[in-house]
Amino acid sequence: MANLVKDVVISQDTPKDLLLDKHIDYLLKYGTDTNDFEFCMTEYLRMSGMYWMLTTLATAKKLHLISKDQFTEFIDQCFDKETGGYSACPGHDPHILYTLSAVQIACILDSVDRLPIDDIVRYIAGLQLPDGSFTGDKWGEIDTRFSFCAVATLSLLNRLSSINVKKAVEFVLSCQNFDGGFGSKPKSESHAGLIYCCVGFLSVTGELGRIDADHLGWWLCERQLPSGGLNGRPEKLPDVCYSWWVIASLTMLGRQHWISKDQLRRYIFASQDCETGGFSDRPGDLPDPFHTLFGVAALSLLGESNLIPINPTFCMPQDVLSRLGVESQVLTK
């Protein structure tokens, strides 16, 4: 039987620092050709894609390079008057994921006053089930990602009291496993992305003290591989997006120092595209806006000097949240 591939090899000729200008150029050019195959095939991600782009630009202090109106107008076009939610693109069904992205974009662009807040709150509250969980949309899928989206959206709008927070907390805590991690629902496998959502949920609701931070922190720090990269669960390859999910979770738990920051920086830097700009999941692969945001966001948490501080709970610039008066809980160790 062939051995499982568990890590990547980083060559000596990969970048050793942040190619920020190239990444800005990459994002500003991305999607400008509406006939491009990749642009057409990612229509279902359009709202989230705009959030990834704007958050990266804001973290890099380059938000002035875009036209605010084109983004606020797009948000307006994606609003579903019947439900109060937002879709990924005009003509698509509304979903809690894209509703959070729409609100985050409005916050970053300082245009929250344009939002139909009461309708959004009605939409989010209507997705909560009696056991405290949340569905993503009218089709009924339950996932702890949606619990995070619900409380993050409502917190940004200062309307967290519009849902049953106590029951929501009980549901998320019921999704914790023996290894300290969290899954998408009770008895589901622990996964770093879902751990971020559950830790972020508890950060927003002020309930981080309900979990054993050392137990969970140990599972998270074991995600670092010899290359310095982080994976989402055991026996998987490292991926730049987990640089965010894991380091943000450890930061909220006050245990960021449990991994090698220098080794993680090395892996993230190596995943940049020197020619086109942008980050990929791992060195040598094609870049995309998703991994570009989470590469930049992780570097911000690691203290990269060219980037402004980012909030580990909301994955938004801290100065935006401070302007809104939005707070989140972070433990100390």
Side-chain angles (χ1 to χ4, degrees):
M1 181 181 293
N3 291 329
L4 293 175
V5 177
K6 298 181 182 180
D7 202 1
V8 299
V9 176
I10 298 178
S11 65
Q12 293 299 315
D13 60 351
T14 56
K16 303 298 190 296
D17 51 17
L18 179 60
L19 309 175
L20 190 57
D21 289 341
K22 283 186 174 291
H23 302 321
I24 300 305
D25 289 341
Y26 166 77
L27 289 173
L28 293 176
K29 293 176 183 176
Y30 190 87
T32 54
D33 181 2
T34 57
N35 293 317
D36 179 74
F37 176 78
E38 184 176 358
F39 181 84
C40 296
M41 293 302 293
T42 56
E43 183 178 76
Y44 68 100
L45 292 172
R46 196 81 73 235
M47 182 70 77
S48 292
M50 289 187 173
Y51 156 71
W52 301 332
M53 174 187 180
L54 291 173
T55 303
T56 305
L57 292 176
T59 305
K61 298 174 284 189
K62 300 293 184 180
L63 203 57
H64 61 280
L65 297 177
I66 58 95
S67 169
K68 174 180 175 179
D69 290 343
Q70 72 181 97
F71 293 95
T72 55
E73 289 171 4
F74 180 82
I75 291 176
D76 292 343
Q77 294 169 14
C78 294
F79 178 65
D80 183 76
K81 295 180 180 179
E82 181 178 349
T83 64
Y86 286 86
S87 62
C89 203
H92 289 222
D93 289 341
H95 195 284
I96 198 170
L97 290 170
Y98 307 120
T99 301
L100 171 59
S101 293
V103 172
Q104 288 175 310
I105 291 170
C107 291
I108 291 170
L109 297 178
D110 195 17
S111 59
V112 177
D113 57 335
R114 290 174 56 103
L115 297 176
I117 294 177
D118 289 340
D119 291 325
I120 296 172
V121 172
R122 169 174 57 85
Y123 175 68
I124 298 293
L127 295 174
Q128 187 173 30
L129 300 180
D131 67 352
S133 65
F134 285 84
T135 62
D137 57 17
K138 65 181 181 180
W139 303 111
E141 180 187 7
I142 297 171
D143 194 305
T144 46
R145 292 177 301 158
F146 308 150
S147 294
F148 171 74
C149 289
V151 298
T153 302
L154 294 175
S155 181
L156 290 171
L157 299 175
N158 194 29
R159 298 288 289 274
L160 192 56
S161 61
S162 300
I163 60 169
N164 188 330
V165 176
K166 181 179 179 181
K167 293 295 291 185
V169 171
E170 290 176 0
F171 173 76
V172 168
L173 291 175
S174 75
C175 298
Q176 189 168 28
N177 296 315
F178 70 93
D179 56 13
F182 291 83
S184 61
K185 52 181 67 70
K187 300 181 181 179
S188 293
E189 179 186 11
S190 296
H191 185 282
L194 295 165
I195 288 171
Y196 165 80
C197 290
C198 292
V199 173
F201 171 95
L202 295 170
S203 171
V204 172
T205 57
E207 298 285 355
L208 279 178
R210 301 281 295 276
I211 59 176
D212 185 336
D214 285 344
H215 191 193
L216 176 53
W218 180 253
W219 190 94
L220 288 166
C221 74
E222 285 191 317
R223 305 280 59 77
Q224 189 162 39
L225 300 171
S227 65
L230 298 163
N231 63 17
R233 49 199 168 115
E235 306 301 332
K236 296 296 182 179
L237 284 170
D239 187 318
V240 162
C241 70
Y242 293 113
S243 301
W244 170 259
W245 310 126
V246 174
I247 197 67
S249 297
L250 286 170
T251 301
M252 287 185 274
L253 295 172
R255 283 146 180 82
Q256 189 188 103
H257 58 288
W258 282 19
I259 66 166
S260 171
K261 300 178 185 179
D262 289 340
Q263 287 294 95
L264 179 55
R265 284 191 188 92
R266 174 174 175 263
Y267 177 82
I268 297 173
F269 289 150
S271 301
Q272 300 174 102
D273 191 307
C274 297
E275 296 182 8
T276 65
F279 287 81
S280 58
D281 55 353
R282 55 190 64 95
D285 287 353
L286 292 174
D288 59 73
F290 174 83
H291 289 95
T292 299
L293 165 61
F294 293 120
V296 169
L299 289 171
S300 172
L301 281 186
L302 293 170
E304 184 69 22
S305 60
N306 292 331
L307 305 171
I308 65 173
I310 199 165
N311 182 279
T313 302
F314 290 91
C315 195
M316 295 169 61
Q318 183 57 52
D319 61 356
V320 172
L321 298 172
S322 298
R323 166 167 50 79
L324 295 169
V326 175
E327 298 181 355
S328 55
Q329 183 184 20
V330 175
L331 300 181
T332 59
K333 175 67 173 180

